[in-house]
Amino acid sequence: MQGRVITAYGRHFMVKLSDGTIRQSYMKGKKTGVCVGDYVRIALQGDEEARIEEVLERQNLLYRSDEMRSKQFAANVDQLLIVVAVQPTFADDLLSRAIVGARSAHIEPIILLNKVDLAEDYPQAKERLSIYAKLGIPIIETSTLDADNLKAQLLPLLQDKTSLLLGQSAMGKSSILNVLVPEAKAHTQEYSIALGTGKHTTTTTSLYTLPDIQGYLIDSPGFQSFGLRHLEQSEVALGFPEFSEFIDQCKFYNCTHLHEPGCGVLRALNEGIISQKRHEMYERILLECTAPERY
């Protein structure tokens, strides 16, 4: 039988089958490589459990990595909903990194500007996001104080897709989830208790079936860092779509767009077409990815 992983707790998983039933599942071996969103082939074990026999081919995999380890977010994702807020102040660095991570995995990024009801600080937050709006990244303004309007804005975007909800702590991500999937907290607690991990619900990634439409929403823990050491130089560049038309003008095929003569990207930077701030972010991420391993 086949199913989809909807929750992962270490080496234990909840797998939802095509008939809607859910099985506590496991996979032999210390390194499973299984994550939320994976489609898997399972063998039933008794009335409630199952063994994962195979992870089926993935459409993509979103994860972050630093010098020490890699952290999988989810697999088979169509779009990444990055939640930022009017208050508290969001980090441009983390937002940019999340966009790069999404684009490198061929996942469409969408920014949710939450808490727009905080009128005093709204203009500043809106201005900070203008640089991303110019890149063609959709920016949806939300407030959980108006649940009906929030659903009217987001549900059409979520139709027939698997979407991952991601954001720093305190941005209001969980409140958005609770509007879209009112039973999310109860389900998470139920799965956690079933697997004997009741204290770890807030640090677990879970996939939910949206109740009002055909679609899936994956909720991931709040994050404070987003390392991208696993990316190649060309993958980093994918996260900067404003570079694309100028990369073809570079003199060298392996141009890093940092110092080479005849670089189309640097020429556009000098002419003010590409933002200095964005190029500095690109340089920071690229140097991080190409830094030698530390032992």
Side-chain angles (χ1 to χ4, degrees):
M1 298 187 69
Q2 293 185 6
R4 194 173 193 187
V5 178
I6 60 173
T7 310
Y9 300 90
R11 294 165 56 194
H12 297 272
F13 310 91
M14 288 291 189
V15 175
K16 189 172 186 177
L17 307 184
S18 56
D19 63 1
T21 60
I22 296 172
R23 290 265 176 161
Q24 298 179 35
S25 305
Y26 66 93
M27 192 171 190
K28 289 186 176 180
K30 292 184 178 180
K31 294 185 178 180
T32 66
V34 182
C35 70
V36 171
D38 271 328
Y39 293 98
V40 295
R41 184 172 59 84
I42 67 169
L44 301 183
Q45 306 284 304
D47 295 330
E48 297 181 352
E49 298 186 350
R51 182 178 68 246
I52 297 174
E53 301 286 338
E54 179 187 9
V55 177
L56 304 182
E57 184 177 357
R58 290 166 171 158
Q59 168 188 327
N60 52 41
L61 173 65
L62 181 67
Y63 64 102
R64 54 191 173 95
S65 60
D66 54 28
E67 293 180 340
M68 302 301 294
R69 62 173 185 161
S70 295
K71 174 68 175 178
Q72 296 176 335
F73 281 117
N76 303 307
V77 178
D78 297 304
Q79 53 192 12
L80 179 63
L81 308 181
I82 311 168
V83 183
V84 298
V86 171
Q87 278 293 342
T89 303
F90 60 88
D92 283 309
D93 181 85
L94 293 180
L95 175 56
S96 295
R97 288 171 177 272
I99 292 171
V100 171
R103 287 191 176 275
S104 70
H106 303 287
I107 297 169
E108 186 67 26
I110 298 173
I111 298 172
L112 303 186
L113 176 58
N114 196 30
K115 305 184 185 181
V116 294
D117 50 282
L118 301 177
E120 182 177 348
D121 297 310
Y122 166 77
Q124 182 181 3
K126 179 78 169 180
E127 174 60 28
R128 290 181 61 201
L129 292 178
S130 63
I131 190 170
Y132 304 100
K134 292 175 182 177
L135 300 176
I137 298 173
I139 299 175
I140 311 298
E141 299 183 1
T142 62
S143 170
T144 53
L145 297 183
D146 189 347
D148 290 339
N149 185 56
L150 187 149
K151 292 170 72 172
Q153 289 178 290
L154 295 186
L155 290 182
L157 294 174
L158 305 179
Q159 178 74 42
D160 298 323
K161 296 185 182 297
T162 296
S163 306
L164 174 62
L165 200 59
L166 186 73
Q168 293 174 251
S169 301
M171 295 291 126
K173 179 176 63 67
S174 295
S175 297
I176 292 175
L177 173 68
N178 289 335
V179 170
L180 297 173
V181 189
E183 299 298 317
K185 184 177 296 186
H187 284 173
T188 300
Q189 187 67 28
E190 178 185 342
Y191 300 155
S192 184
I193 291 174
L195 294 172
T197 54
K199 295 183 179 180
H200 303 292
T201 55
T202 58
T203 61
T204 300
T205 299
S206 297
L207 180 148
Y208 303 98
T209 300
L210 289 160
D212 299 323
I213 61 171
Q214 293 294 317
Y216 303 94
L217 188 62
I218 300 175
D219 180 43
S220 61
F223 69 100
Q224 301 301 331
S225 64
F226 204 118
L228 297 167
R229 284 183 64 91
H230 58 283
L231 297 185
E232 301 290 335
Q233 187 263 330
S234 60
E235 293 175 315
V236 175
L238 283 176
F240 295 82
E242 65 269 43
F243 290 10
S244 59
E245 65 178 291
F246 304 107
I247 288 176
D248 292 339
Q249 302 171 16
C250 292
K251 181 178 180 180
F252 303 104
Y253 76 92
N254 59 346
C255 184
T256 65
H257 321 305
L258 295 182
H259 50 69
E260 294 86 351
C263 173
V265 172
L266 291 178
R267 183 166 59 251
L269 175 65
N270 293 332
E271 293 174 359
I273 301 173
I274 290 176
S275 158
Q276 180 72 40
K277 182 178 179 181
R278 287 279 293 169
H279 190 268
E280 289 173 355
M281 174 60 66
Y282 165 80
E283 181 175 8
R284 190 153 61 245
I285 294 175
L286 183 60
L287 293 179
E288 172 188 304
C289 293
T290 56
E293 296 287 341
R294 294 171 61 183
Y295 298 96

